[in-house]
Amino acid sequence: MLLYSTNNSALKADLKEAVLKSLAPDKGLYMPEFIPTLPADFIQALPTLSFQEIAFEVAKTLFQGFIPEADLKTIIERSITFAAPVHMLDDRAGSLELWHGPSLAFKDFGARFMAALMSYFNQGNDKKLSILVATSGDTGGAVAFGFLDVPGIEVTILYPKGKVSLLQEKQLTTLGSNIKAIEIDGTFDDCQALVKEAFLDKELNAVYQLSSANSINIARLIPQSFYYFEAFKQLKSFGDEIVFAVPSGNFGNLTAGLIAKRMGLPVSKFIAATNINKIVPDYLVSGLYEPRISISTISNAMDVGNPSNFARMFDLYNGDVEAMKQDMIGYFVTDEETKTMLRDIYDKYQYVADPHGAVAYKALAFYLEGHPEAVGAFFETAHPSKFEDVVNDALGIAVEIPERLAILASREKQATPMRADFADFKKHLLSIV
Ligand SMILES: *Cc1c(COP(=O)(O)O)cnc(C)c1O
């Protein structure tokens, strides 16, 4: 399997290089050179297949033999370890719950699959694979759980002291094993600067194979296409015209859906749902891509003013906005509407959504109203307890924190305190080789 850079289609890498390096040397994003289609009888057979079987077939088809089948099976069995159920609210709309993983967010799928692939590709390398991540909270948790106990990989997470929530900090600092946390006396930007400098340092690169768990890594995108097939399987009996409403920030989730469609999944429409950071919905109307400074909202995982995966979407359609509009429609939702939706979903269906899911629900409801034959799912990208302040406030209840997260509260934090100083950071990394 070969991939090319979105900046230069002549610049190619194989899957191993694309996964271990994340970014192309010219800073472009990797895209598969060829997106193969699945046989039509695979789509027919979906209802007879388990989620893991579906994931295996999709990955096998995409990878084109790059990873032997037995190894690929092991990778899938290690990473696709929790369900992606569609909880139907009525007979036309359901919630695709993507939060059944360890950190309670859909990012668990990407992080776990990336960890399994990196571990596989680093076998036989005499340098230990060291993942450095700077986090302002959320991504760090998914990465920490995703790489926990993965053989041959050490993870170092840098986070800014006093700037992440208590439970987020517990996710980063209590897992132990191969996950190490450094609490930086500084900002998120300081953390990121230290990581960037480490990647350029000769001595560190001599002893470690350094990698980032970057969100633009193709290995994070690929497993996200698996659950579109899994959701389609569950929606099939409700109608033939199936749509997905995807709450979007950097548009990794939505891009994975577009790839699933290219592989043959007959999705009628993708609804790109955003908050007021509506760069892509605007693009779908005007044909002009105008990145902006992001605006803070209550669905803050989508506060993105220059979505990184836009380059991949643009590439998939060769820059033809009319072609993109055949597959996709944009919709944006304000904070006020989001709160109203959280309440409406609860009052009408006794279902607790999170702010990101509520944005997608509103977009889906609007679409279904205008398309009487359509049925669809909105993506619940995080468990509501991850945004308990907003949810409790909107619903006037206290949402339950799932056991697997609550249990961390009583565990002891283990983090190395450090100044935001590269010499200290480097000395530390060299001392733990
Ligand atoms: C990351 C995230 C998103 C945005 O996903 P993209 O793939 O970046 O579009 C939406 N909701 C939640 C809860 C997230 O954590």
Side-chain angles (χ1 to χ4, degrees), residues 106-107 138 224 247-253 301-302 354 356 381-382 387:
F106 82 94
K107 291 186 173 71
D138 242 20
Q224 291 173 215
S248 296
N250 274 314
F251 281 79
N253 226 349
M302 310 198 290
D354 94 293
H356 306 79
T381 43
F387 300 91

Side-chain angles (χ1 to χ4, degrees), residues 362-375:
K362 166 103 185 167
L364 177 66
F366 178 79
Y367 186 89
L368 293 183
E369 231 178 77
H371 298 80
E373 295 299 313
V375 300

Side-chain angles (χ1 to χ4, degrees), residues 16 21 23 29 42 66 83 89 109 113 141 167 175 185 195 215 217 249 284-285 287 301 307 328 346 357 395 399 406:
K16 177 175 175 177
K21 297 270 163 66
L23 263 184
L29 275 58
F42 172 74
F66 192 82
L89 297 183
F109 284 101
F113 191 74
L167 274 182
L175 300 184
D185 194 358
V195 168
S215 65
N217 194 305
L284 289 167
V285 172
M328 231 169 109
Y346 187 63
L395 304 187
V399 306

Side-chain angles (χ1 to χ4, degrees), residues 377-398:
F378 63 97
F379 286 18
E380 257 293 304
T381 43
H383 188 275
S385 67
K386 291 200 89 169
F387 300 91
E388 57 173 345
D389 292 351
V390 177
V391 176
N392 291 356
D393 194 45
L395 304 187
I397 58 163

Side-chain angles (χ1 to χ4, degrees), residues 196-213:
K196 278 201 177 136
E197 203 167 340
F199 282 120
L200 300 172
D201 188 90
K202 282 213 175 70
E203 278 175 80
L204 288 175
N205 278 287
V207 290
Y208 287 112
Q209 161 90 41
L210 292 175
S211 205
S212 80

Side-chain angles (χ1 to χ4, degrees), residues 306-339:
N306 188 8
S308 52
N309 280 292
F310 184 77
R312 285 191 168 118
M313 292 175 10
F314 191 81
D315 187 85
L316 269 172
Y317 293 92
N318 294 316
D320 181 349
V321 66
E322 293 306 318
M324 200 188 282
K325 279 156 78 169
Q326 297 287 310
D327 289 346
M328 231 169 109
I329 182 168
Y331 193 84
F332 78 95
V333 178
T334 65
D335 275 0
E336 275 319 304
E337 291 171 321
T338 305
K339 288 184 210 162

Side-chain angles (χ1 to χ4, degrees), residues 146-163:
F147 283 89
L148 180 62
D149 294 326
V150 174
I153 305 189
E154 284 287 333
V155 177
T156 306
I157 299 176
L158 288 80
Y159 70 96
K161 180 179 174 177
K163 297 194 176 66

